[in-house]
Amino acid sequence: MNTELSPSLVKVARMTSVRLKWNRFWTEIRRDSFCYLFLAPFLICFTVFIVVPVIMAATLGFTSYDGFGSLRFIGFDNYIALFTQDIIFLTKALPNTFLFALIVGPGGYILAFLFAWLIHQLPLRVRDYYTLAFYAPSMAGGVALSVVWIAAFSGDRVGYLNNFLLHMGWIDNAIVWLQKPEYLLKVMIVVSLWISFSVGFLAMLAGLQTVNRELYEAGRIDGISNRLQEVFYITLPSMKPQLLFSAVMTIVTTLKAGSISTQLTGLPITPQYAGHLVINHIDDYAFIRFELGYASAISVVLLLVSYFAMRFAYRLFGSKEEL
Amino acid sequence: MKRLLAFVLLAATALLVAPQSTHARIPYQTTYFDSNRSLWMGIQAVYKPFGAYGDHFDEPVDLHIGADDKVYVADKGNSHIFVMNNDGTLIQTIGDEEGAGHLDSPEGVFVTPDGTVYVADSGNQRIAVFSADGSFVREYKKPTSNLLQSEHFVPIKLVVDRRGVMYVAMNASYQGLLRMNKDGEFMGFFGANKAQQTLLNWLKKAVLNKEQLAKENPSLPKPIVNISMDQEGFIYTATAGGFGSAAIRKLNAGGVDSYKGKLFQHSQGIVDVAIDQNGFLYNVDLDFGRINIFDRNGTVLFAFGFTDNNTQQYGVMGFPTSIGIDSKSNIWVSDSRTKTVHKFVRSDFGNDVMNAIVLYGEGKYADSKPYWERVYARNEMFTGTYQGLGKVYLEEKDNAQALSFMKEAYDTKGYSKAFWEIRLEWLQNHFIIFVMVLIAIGLIIKFLPWGIKKLLSRWSLPSVFKRLVADLRNLGYVMIHPYHGFYKLKEARVSLWSILLILAAVIGMKIITVYTTGFLFYPVDLSQINLLRILGQFVLPWITWIIANYLVCSIKDGEGKFREVIQGSTYALAPFLFFSPPIIILSNILTLDESVLIRSLTTVMYIWMAVMFMVMTQVIHNFDFLESLKNIAITLFAIATIWLFGFLVFGLSYNLYDFFYQLYKEVNFYR
């Protein structure tokens, strides 16, 4: 933005350049103060509720703090302990989260697009009802979880899944789906896939409606012969912003998923740490053991991970100009 | 000449007649099961034949070892129960010549701890009870019950629990064990086997109507052939057939099998099962003709023994009918063909091994150490030792030692644990350096392409290399933009050298993968690798794919030329080249806990490759999407046919070659 700089200013001695820049910054702000006034409500809220907590968490990560006593600065010890001592984090939380995010992230994303596209094919009259039906799970998440899924995966003979399998003769005894370590993570993945029709799904539906209909006709003239090509060559490229948005939302929701396991099993820590995700680990240290410093360190790591995941999403879906 | 021949013959006979030096070799090979590699391997004897008893037997069909280690043998031929001391001397005969105590071909015997003898008197269709001194006490006839009206009461085996409740196996009954209380009242059937529910049956049930179903052979449960009971009162049933699934069942009071239909190795023709005080299972099997030892989880440990039709040797069985184990862990086997009862005694080696396994199974790793070490001194090949000692070292925090032992035992789980500990220790000592190296690697990856570009711009390569480099860079481009990339490839003419270079790189990568993938993810003995075969399995499908793809698509109006198919198929291998190095590196760093990373990377690699091949077919032949899917399916079918044809031709021509080779040898020999 230094096109307005007059050439004479460049020649000013180095000593004063910092002060000069500061002055210029203030002049610019004063000149644009009207814009900043409009921005102020957002900026203040953003700072107070987002920036400050993040910075506080980041600093808390360098301390040992139990919530009652005084802070004790311990440098990088929390991080070193996290990657060298914390067996549960390294052997359970990280691999579980990786697998969970790997399946639920892209899986939920693709499902969301698929259903949004399918609903988009419906006539306008009924479309809204279907949309509501599909969006309902994420609105009524907690309640539906206990009503539908806990009943379905109930460990006794009357649980829907057990009942079905027993009826078909495929199993002999009822399986305790939600307490057995080998099934819990899979059940969690299924449930999360179902819940994952959230904001991303709506954004995609909106995105589908923004696609210019004339493009389809143009494409047909240019030799597009089937629906799949239409989706691939016209729909997807035209709704890149929505795709990006919902990818970011998916990444955030999958990485911060964690309450599902506690809701499904009814235990703060899942049996044998089978469904232990990073968020559960943070909860464990923050609200069960009250090692707030350590928990903050973990959340900082999680923040970094989600930042890089988002960078990756921008790489994939962002157009070159936005980067 | 004739005289010479006679002399030679005489000398030969003399040699044969002269007493040879004899060995006290055991007439059978003992083997153990290496569960980590699923292999049977030879080992020295765990049990040795000790003796065979019974000049008085005619057809011993069942035996039972009493609480005082007396051996009770039911002799169907003689219609008597013989009682032997533990050294094999006959001390008592049960069964009167006539009257109520007369037995008629008894097939089963059970003795309660107080010495009361229950006999399944199948000829008289009753259960006869004798007191400890051999006098007849009472009999149980067929209980009266509506449920039993059509049933024949021919008891063949039985056990009696502490309350005096009898569990009777009846001849060829699929309903399970008949349960009768002390007073002879019917208490219901118990522990019936499950009927075989196959997919075909299920389908029939869904499709056929009632009349048709009635004509089908009903799938009845298999009859129980033998019963045993352990000291805690669990009932074990032996059921032959079904490839050993649920061959042995451990039933609790509710009739529920705690092995849950587990598959028992070497138990397809199971005859009987015995349980020792440590919970080990011993069975004798007619199909394999051997005695097998299982641990308490039903995992097979050892197999020994041998059956022969006309045996004259100690330790070789003719037709084993029952097995029992006494309190000194001696195995007794009744044998109706040789009309004897064999006794096998545990060897010192066997004692050490079994004690070590008991302690190991109970988690007393430190206690088991001296036993394992004694086993190790006697046999360095037994992988159980390595596993056991590995666990001991792991417990003692001697991780390096544990690692090497676990590797020797091919125990990936234990290896993973030991490796985890070692890696953790290393990380704790070198964390700062580790992070710095990671950052350095990250920077190198970020700036390497830029540096290479710079270098290339400074020294311009000769034009041949330039083309090569361009071709290689295309590899990356095709991988990320398959549609556009293959379209460009279709027009371009990639030089032969680049293609060969890429193929060589892929094969080189495969070799590197085979030899440097971490032990945890490729647990094989590197010296046992048959590289040619692995490469063959890797290269042959690719070549057949090219041929089949070209043939099929040229019939189905594909545009691709043969050169283009080769080109495309080579470039489609790109994901393998790019994904393998990180997989190899990770496989050497990660443990089984983090295996999900490697598994997902590998899955992504294969999916990516499949997509590349699909896109290649579509673009090169200018198909539309569905058409190319169809053609890929046809191509896969063509590959299968080519292979089938190849096998046929190879097999037949090998036969022909073999014929001529044998002929040549024959002619050569008698020339």
Side-chain angles (χ1 to χ4, degrees):
Chain A
M1 298 298 141
N2 21 6
T3 42
E4 297 145 314
L5 277 181
S6 57
S8 64
L9 284 175
V10 185
K11 286 169 194 154
V12 176
R14 251 204 185 159
M15 295 285 280
T16 52
S17 78
V18 176
R19 213 162 60 88
L20 208 72
K21 273 187 179 163
W22 183 248
N23 283 341
R24 183 153 310 117
F25 177 64
W26 269 118
T27 2
E28 271 184 27
I29 286 202
R30 221 168 297 146
R31 193 190 59 208
D32 299 334
S33 56
F34 198 61
C35 307
Y36 284 102
L37 195 68
F38 274 100
L39 273 176
F42 167 73
L43 274 183
I44 290 167
C45 287
F46 182 72
T47 321
V48 170
F49 295 115
I50 309 272
V51 177
V52 171
V54 167
I55 291 172
M56 273 170 67
T59 38
L60 212 57
F62 292 111
T63 63
S64 167
Y65 181 52
D66 60 4
F68 304 106
S70 56
L71 287 174
R72 197 157 51 80
F73 187 75
I74 53 170
F76 278 96
D77 280 5
N78 276 335
Y79 293 93
I80 293 173
L82 181 63
F83 284 106
T84 57
Q85 314 265 328
D86 194 341
I87 293 174
I88 302 301
F89 179 74
L90 291 177
T91 61
K92 300 289 181 190
L94 264 191
N96 281 353
T97 312
F98 180 75
L99 182 67
F100 184 81
L102 194 75
I103 297 177
V104 174
Y109 189 66
I110 292 168
L111 276 182
F113 178 77
L114 193 71
F115 282 103
W117 187 72
L118 284 177
I119 286 176
H120 188 66
Q121 310 300 312
L122 291 171
L124 206 58
R125 278 178 297 117
V126 290
R127 201 186 285 168
D128 288 348
Y129 301 107
Y130 276 89
T131 311
L132 184 68
F134 271 95
Y135 187 61
S138 52
M139 282 197 297
V143 181
L145 205 65
S146 46
V147 172
V148 180
W149 293 105
I150 292 178
F153 289 108
S154 168
D156 48 21
R157 300 182 73 88
V158 290
Y160 295 144
L161 186 61
N162 272 334
N163 199 338
F164 173 73
L165 290 177
L166 285 168
H167 186 74
M168 296 306 280
W170 288 334
I171 54 172
D172 298 332
N173 301 97
I175 296 172
V176 194
W177 297 103
L178 298 176
Q179 302 295 331
K180 282 211 166 176
E182 62 261 43
Y183 297 124
L184 182 59
L185 192 65
K186 286 160 195 149
V187 172
M188 277 168 62
I189 286 173
V190 170
V191 175
S192 318
L193 278 178
W194 178 75
I195 293 181
S196 66
F197 299 117
S198 57
V199 188
F201 168 72
L202 284 189
M204 283 191 187
L205 203 61
L208 280 166
Q209 281 164 6
T210 63
V211 179
N212 192 350
R213 318 253 0 137
E214 285 167 14
L215 280 178
Y216 291 118
E217 282 163 31
R220 207 150 292 154
I221 293 166
D222 277 352
I224 280 178
S225 52
N226 57 23
R227 271 326 227 322
L228 207 76
Q229 283 182 338
E230 231 171 50
V231 170
F232 201 81
Y233 288 115
I234 297 172
T235 315
L236 284 179
S238 336
M239 51 184 288
K240 246 184 175 176
Q242 286 84 4
L243 286 179
L244 175 67
F245 173 74
S246 89
V248 171
M249 291 310 293
T250 313
I251 288 166
V252 172
T253 41
T254 46
L255 283 180
K256 73 172 198 190
S259 55
I260 293 173
S261 63
T262 45
Q263 273 174 341
L264 283 177
T265 55
L267 303 165
I269 303 295
T270 45
Q272 288 182 38
Y273 291 101
H276 203 64
L277 304 181
V278 174
I279 284 286
N280 297 105
H281 205 60
I282 294 173
D283 277 355
D284 180 14
Y285 274 95
F287 305 120
I288 298 177
R289 308 185 197 206
F290 282 104
E291 294 183 25
L292 294 177
Y294 189 65
S296 314
I298 306 173
S299 25
V300 169
V301 170
L302 187 63
L303 188 76
L304 287 179
V305 170
S306 40
Y307 170 72
F308 282 112
M310 243 172 275
R311 275 276 298 270
F312 183 66
Y314 273 100
R315 249 308 154 73
L316 273 183
F317 298 107
S319 42
K320 291 283 179 290
E321 300 87 63
E322 282 170 45
L323 265 180
Chain B
M1 184 65 208
K2 217 172 190 180
R3 186 176 287 177
L4 191 76
L5 205 76
F7 181 73
V8 168
L9 215 70
L10 198 72
T13 356
L15 257 176
L16 283 176
V17 166
Q20 284 178 315
S21 63
T22 50
H23 304 278
R25 237 189 92 202
I26 296 172
Y28 51 76
Q29 170 73 42
T30 304
T31 50
Y32 74 93
F33 186 68
D34 182 350
S35 56
N36 291 323
R37 283 189 290 174
S38 307
L39 282 178
W40 283 95
M41 312 262 264
I43 196 176
Q44 64 255 57
V46 176
Y47 272 92
K48 290 176 177 166
F50 185 78
Y53 312 104
D55 309 322
H56 27 263
F57 293 143
D58 188 36
E59 195 188 348
V61 291
D62 194 21
L63 65 76
H64 185 264
I65 317 281
D68 46 359
D69 275 357
K70 282 186 201 162
V71 181
Y72 295 76
V73 183
D75 192 327
K76 194 177 175 185
N78 271 341
S79 293
H80 278 302
I81 305 296
F82 293 101
V83 187
M84 295 194 298
N85 246 342
N86 200 261
D87 56 4
T89 49
L90 184 72
I91 48 176
Q92 196 183 357
T93 319
I94 296 174
D96 304 336
E97 286 310 316
E98 48 198 45
H102 174 73
L103 297 172
D104 184 8
S105 33
E107 287 190 51
V109 60
F110 185 85
V111 187
T112 56
D114 63 358
T116 315
V117 182
Y118 288 74
V119 181
D121 194 3
S122 60
N124 290 330
Q125 305 199 356
R126 63 166 187 173
I127 289 161
V129 184
F130 296 88
S131 66
D133 59 359
S135 55
F136 179 71
V137 179
R138 65 167 294 180
E139 64 173 13
Y140 294 101
K141 280 285 192 186
K142 176 179 172 182
T144 46
S145 164
N146 290 336
L147 290 169
L148 295 175
Q149 272 168 354
S150 62
E151 199 82 9
H152 290 288
F153 187 64
V154 184
I156 49 168
K157 310 282 170 193
L158 82 166
V159 292
V160 184
D161 73 6
R162 260 171 291 187
R163 299 165 298 165
V165 175
M166 287 162 271
Y167 297 82
V168 186
M170 294 186 299
N171 196 9
S173 162
Y174 61 84
Q175 306 218 33
L177 305 175
L178 188 146
R179 198 154 57 140
M180 228 188 328
N181 69 6
K182 224 188 239 169
D183 307 320
E185 282 164 12
F186 178 62
M187 291 171 69
F189 286 106
F190 179 82
N193 280 316
K194 286 219 169 66
Q196 216 62 29
Q197 177 70 299
T198 58
L199 200 66
L200 193 69
N201 278 347
W202 186 78
L203 208 73
K204 276 181 190 164
K205 222 166 96 183
V207 173
L208 299 183
N209 62 23
K210 232 175 208 171
E211 286 86 45
Q212 285 169 320
L213 265 182
K215 281 180 198 157
E216 289 287 325
N217 280 333
S219 56
L220 291 176
K222 290 187 284 284
I224 291 168
V225 295
N226 219 321
I227 337 169
S228 305
M229 194 175 198
D230 71 5
Q231 287 159 336
E232 292 157 29
F234 285 105
I235 291 169
Y236 295 75
T237 64
T239 309
F243 300 103
S245 68
I248 301 172
R249 295 185 308 145
K250 180 183 186 179
L251 304 174
N252 65 7
V256 176
D257 174 21
S258 60
Y259 289 135
K260 291 187 176 152
K262 189 179 162 70
L263 189 95
F264 280 81
Q265 282 218 7
H266 280 197
S267 301
Q268 197 186 338
I270 187 171
V271 171
D272 193 9
V273 57
I275 307 95
D276 73 3
Q277 61 267 42
N278 288 317
F280 286 100
L281 302 174
Y282 302 74
N283 82 0
V284 59
D285 188 273
L286 269 179
D287 257 30
F288 291 88
R290 285 159 86 80
I291 297 167
N292 306 292
I293 307 178
F294 302 84
D295 70 9
R296 63 188 79 188
N297 303 319
T299 313
V300 70
L301 296 172
F302 301 101
F304 67 94
F306 186 62
T307 35
D308 193 18
N309 271 349
N310 35 13
T311 172
Q312 299 289 332
Q313 258 179 311
Y314 272 173
V316 177
M317 302 169 288
F319 189 89
T321 52
S322 184
I323 187 170
I325 186 150
D326 65 22
S327 63
K328 297 182 200 74
S329 295
N330 303 320
I331 292 177
W332 296 78
V333 176
S334 63
D335 184 344
S336 68
R337 181 167 282 137
T338 58
K339 302 176 182 179
T340 48
V341 169
H342 303 270
K343 182 182 184 183
F344 296 87
V345 178
R346 208 179 258 184
S347 65
D348 291 343
F349 175 73
N351 266 329
D352 286 338
V353 167
M354 297 299 262
N355 282 331
I357 292 173
V358 169
L359 291 169
Y360 177 78
E362 287 169 358
K364 297 175 182 160
Y365 300 127
D367 295 349
S368 72
K369 192 176 179 186
Y371 291 103
W372 283 127
E373 273 166 351
R374 278 221 290 283
V375 173
Y376 186 53
R378 284 205 180 89
N379 188 337
E380 293 189 359
M381 298 295 286
F382 178 49
T383 50
T385 327
Y386 290 100
Q387 202 164 347
L389 278 177
K391 211 53 168 270
V392 172
Y393 287 128
L394 202 60
E395 205 74 356
E396 291 174 354
K397 296 276 173 210
D398 188 351
N399 294 317
Q401 193 84 323
L403 193 77
S404 71
F405 272 72
M406 290 302 190
K407 189 168 183 179
E408 207 68 46
Y410 291 91
D411 180 357
T412 46
K413 259 189 190 154
Y415 184 92
S416 173
K417 261 182 207 148
F419 184 69
W420 203 93
E421 296 283 342
I422 288 175
R423 195 184 64 180
L424 189 71
E425 208 174 306
W426 187 90
L427 256 184
Q428 281 166 354
N429 296 332
H430 304 86
F431 186 68
I432 303 294
I433 299 171
F434 175 71
V435 170
M436 273 155 81
V437 167
L438 270 190
I439 293 171
I441 289 173
L443 287 179
I444 287 173
I445 287 175
K446 186 139 193 179
F447 290 110
L448 194 67
W450 177 77
I452 286 176
K453 224 177 259 175
K454 199 120 202 212
L455 267 181
L456 284 183
S457 68
R458 194 163 301 168
W459 296 304
S460 60
L461 290 164
S463 60
V464 186
F465 280 100
K466 230 174 202 169
R467 211 171 140 195
L468 210 63
V469 167
D471 284 343
L472 293 185
R473 275 178 56 183
N474 262 344
L475 204 61
Y477 183 80
V478 171
M479 196 170 122
I480 295 167
H481 308 274
Y483 274 99
H484 196 218
F486 279 120
Y487 193 71
K488 262 171 63 181
L489 259 189
K490 195 177 149 146
E491 325 242 288
R493 196 191 178 95
V494 183
S495 78
L496 182 67
W497 287 114
S498 327
I499 299 263
L500 285 182
L501 192 71
I502 294 169
L503 288 181
V506 167
I507 286 178
M509 190 59 78
K510 180 71 191 174
I511 293 173
I512 293 172
T513 319
V514 168
Y515 279 104
T516 58
T517 302
F519 171 77
L520 273 177
F521 297 93
Y522 194 57
V524 287
D525 187 357
L526 289 187
S527 64
Q528 299 295 317
I529 288 175
N530 187 348
L531 190 65
L532 265 182
R533 192 210 264 154
I534 290 174
L535 284 185
Q537 284 168 356
F538 186 65
V539 172
L540 267 184
W542 186 76
I543 292 177
T544 34
W545 157 266
I546 290 179
I547 297 171
N549 184 284
Y550 174 67
L551 292 180
V552 167
C553 294
S554 55
I555 292 171
K556 294 294 225 172
D557 295 334
E559 287 177 2
K561 301 193 191 76
F562 192 55
R563 186 176 53 79
E564 287 169 0
V565 174
I566 292 179
Q567 239 165 250
S569 302
T570 310
Y571 272 78
L573 292 171
F576 183 78
L577 268 184
F578 287 103
F579 273 80
S580 289
I583 290 177
I584 292 171
I585 293 170
L586 284 177
S587 75
N588 283 297
I589 304 175
L590 298 184
T591 61
L592 288 185
D593 293 316
E594 299 106 13
S595 63
V596 54
L597 240 168
I598 285 194
R599 268 186 291 140
S600 49
L601 261 184
T602 320
T603 318
V604 167
M605 176 178 93
Y606 282 118
I607 291 175
W608 202 318
M609 262 162 79
V611 169
M612 294 280 280
F613 275 104
M614 217 177 71
V615 173
M616 180 213 110
T617 316
Q618 187 179 349
V619 173
I620 294 223
H621 296 295
N622 200 8
F623 289 141
D624 66 27
F625 185 73
L626 284 180
E627 211 178 355
S628 71
L629 273 190
K630 206 169 68 191
N631 281 315
I632 282 171
I634 298 173
T635 307
L636 292 180
F637 179 73
I639 288 175
T641 9
I642 288 175
W643 282 34
L644 188 72
F645 189 68
F647 280 128
L648 277 180
V649 168
F650 180 78
L652 290 178
S653 53
Y654 181 79
N655 274 354
L656 196 69
Y657 158 80
D658 195 50
F659 170 72
F660 281 113
Y661 181 70
Q662 298 292 348
L663 198 69
Y664 162 77
K665 267 173 83 177
E666 204 97 331
V667 170
N668 221 16
F669 190 72
Y670 285 108
R671 194 172 43 181

